[in-house]
Amino acid sequence: MIYRLRVILDNDTDDDIFRDIEIRKTDSLEDLHNVITQSFGFDGSEMASFYISDDDWNQGEEIPLLSMDESPNSLRMENSTIAQNIEDRGEKLIYVYDFLEMWTFFVELTEVSEEQVAE
């Protein structure tokens, strides 16, 4: 399955800055982190986290790029798939990149489609 996600940069202007991203539901949140940073022109070298969100964009459980918890079962982007965190159209995540600059993005699942198989 392919997920189409709308990623909107939360900024202080009236203009929405967004990207529509297609990614496999089995890809990791780290893969999504890499796609978002590349599509918005960041080098990807800063710390980042995803947060589970409700319909009102309230920040919930954190899924960090790197975890201070060294146990193998600690929640991190690399071991968390997109489908484990959002699976239905309209579900949301908040993504924060660079905790000094606090670039904040709203991520919403807008479409789910079958993956096209090349012949």
Side-chain angles (χ1 to χ4, degrees):
M1 298 294 266
I2 298 293
Y3 282 4
R4 175 171 283 172
L5 303 167
R6 172 142 301 168
V7 181
I8 302 170
L9 174 61
D10 180 29
N11 60 26
D12 293 331
T13 68
D14 291 333
D15 298 326
D16 284 339
I17 301 171
F18 70 92
R19 305 287 187 271
D20 287 328
I21 295 171
E22 290 186 350
I23 194 162
R24 288 180 184 90
K25 75 176 196 169
T26 56
D27 286 341
S28 71
L29 286 177
E30 185 174 16
D31 295 327
L32 180 57
H33 153 78
N34 291 330
V35 171
I36 291 172
T37 57
Q38 291 169 7
S39 68
F40 281 91
F42 297 110
D43 64 11
S45 65
E46 301 296 331
M47 291 300 299
S49 286
F50 282 99
Y51 298 89
I52 304 300
S53 176
D54 62 15
D55 288 339
D56 295 322
W57 296 106
N58 292 309
Q59 187 172 304
E61 182 179 18
E62 179 182 17
I63 305 165
L65 178 61
L66 301 173
S67 176
M68 298 308 227
D69 181 354
E70 296 181 14
S71 72
N73 296 328
S74 67
L75 192 59
R76 295 183 312 279
M77 287 185 202
E78 71 178 342
N79 64 10
S80 185
T81 67
I82 296 168
Q84 288 173 320
N85 296 284
I86 54 174
E87 58 185 338
D88 294 321
R89 195 168 167 231
E91 289 188 313
K92 300 168 173 65
L93 295 169
I94 296 171
Y95 171 69
V96 177
Y97 176 76
D98 186 350
F99 291 105
L100 293 177
E101 296 294 329
M102 291 299 290
W103 293 99
T104 302
F105 300 84
F106 300 116
V107 180
E108 183 172 359
L109 179 57
T110 59
E111 185 178 331
V112 178
S113 61
E114 294 292 328
E115 189 169 352
Q116 301 297 319
V117 179
E119 294 182 23

